[in-house]
Amino acid sequence: MASRPRRRRLCRALLTALVVASVAVPVSGAVRPADVPSPAPTVRGPLPAATPSALAVRYAATRADIAAAARTAHDHGDDKRAEALRVLAGPARHLLTFDGRHGGRSVEVVGDLSRADRIAVLVPGAGMSVDNYWRLKSGAQALRTQLGDRSAVVAWLGYETPATVSLVAATSRRAQDAALELRKFLGELMKVKPAARTSLLCHSYGSVVCARAAAGLRIAALVLYGSPGVGVDDVAGLRTPAVVWAGRGGDDWIADVPHVRLQLPYADVGFGTDPVSEGFGARIFDAGSGGHSDYLAPGSVPLKNIARIVDGQIPDAPRA
């Protein structure tokens, strides 16, 4: 088994090669995986009033959309997608929106949104789709458990994420469109829950999405974790009134991503300044010693500190 330094050197070499390839190869040449067909959603329009009855109607309608998508996936011969969708359509699930096309997009509430006075919106990074959505749901559930009653966690898979190791993941292309959708959702959420303390929690490539959505949003906290950079030089470049926090686990391979940013005619390649660097200017929280997928693991150091931020408390600082 390769040693940790060797693994990091290999990872750095691979990611550097991706950045170089991104410079040499137009993004439009990237090959996308075939989509599993899915019917267009019937649930459209803004969020309903955040009352138990209005939310119940919305959740039921969205479950019907998911069940229809599961039948379509089964008929197409993709049993893995069909099973994932059947789980997602369970009677205890609370989805505000769902669209099974293009890898799948969904917005799920963990907790009681009608009673919540603290809301955390989770924005995932690359490689997330309906097929492995359980990972995002598990993190949302762990955070909701840590926060306790009168909180809600929203798992926002509102965009087509890039593949984890791909040319697209080295650019802001997907993030630009995703940011428009995220701003729209947050605007609706804060309209129906204006008194709630709302925080935006952004993992990996999701932090690139959040950075493009953050300007002027009246959120309490913007939390960047496992971030490759966000495309601006410092916190001031985010143009947000929110308190900006950043953290990175001790064994997170994202630390080896080159912090470069090149502006090309067809795309920006790389994401610039490291968010946990002193020059970026974010407040740093202790993110423990875990890896890239461990930030919301039950009982973990980063989970406890992220929950404190959502609660309006001061998290632990990194150990010297």
Side-chain angles (χ1 to χ4, degrees), residues 50-77:
T51 62
S53 58
L55 290 170
V57 170
R58 182 66 167 249
Y59 296 151
T62 306
R63 279 195 291 271
D65 276 352
I66 301 169
R71 291 191 293 270
T72 301
H74 173 74
D75 293 343
H76 182 69

Side-chain angles (χ1 to χ4, degrees), residues 66-87:
I66 301 169
R71 291 191 293 270
T72 301
H74 173 74
D75 293 343
H76 182 69
D78 194 319
D79 291 334
K80 179 181 178 181
R81 173 67 60 84
E83 178 59 25
L85 290 171
R86 282 192 287 267
V87 172

Side-chain angles (χ1 to χ4, degrees), residues 89-129:
R93 305 296 287 268
H94 296 156
L95 279 92
L96 291 167
T97 64
F98 173 81
D99 187 341
R101 299 170 296 179
H102 308 298
R105 305 180 188 190
S106 62
V107 179
E108 182 173 13
V109 177
V110 179
D112 186 349
L113 186 60
S114 67
R115 298 178 61 248
D117 54 25
R118 294 156 297 150
I119 301 173
V121 179
L122 299 184
V123 180
M128 184 63 62
S129 71

Side-chain angles (χ1 to χ4, degrees), residues 103-104 134 236 244 290 296 300 308:
W134 61 269
V244 180
L296 299 181
S300 68
R308 287 172 182 162

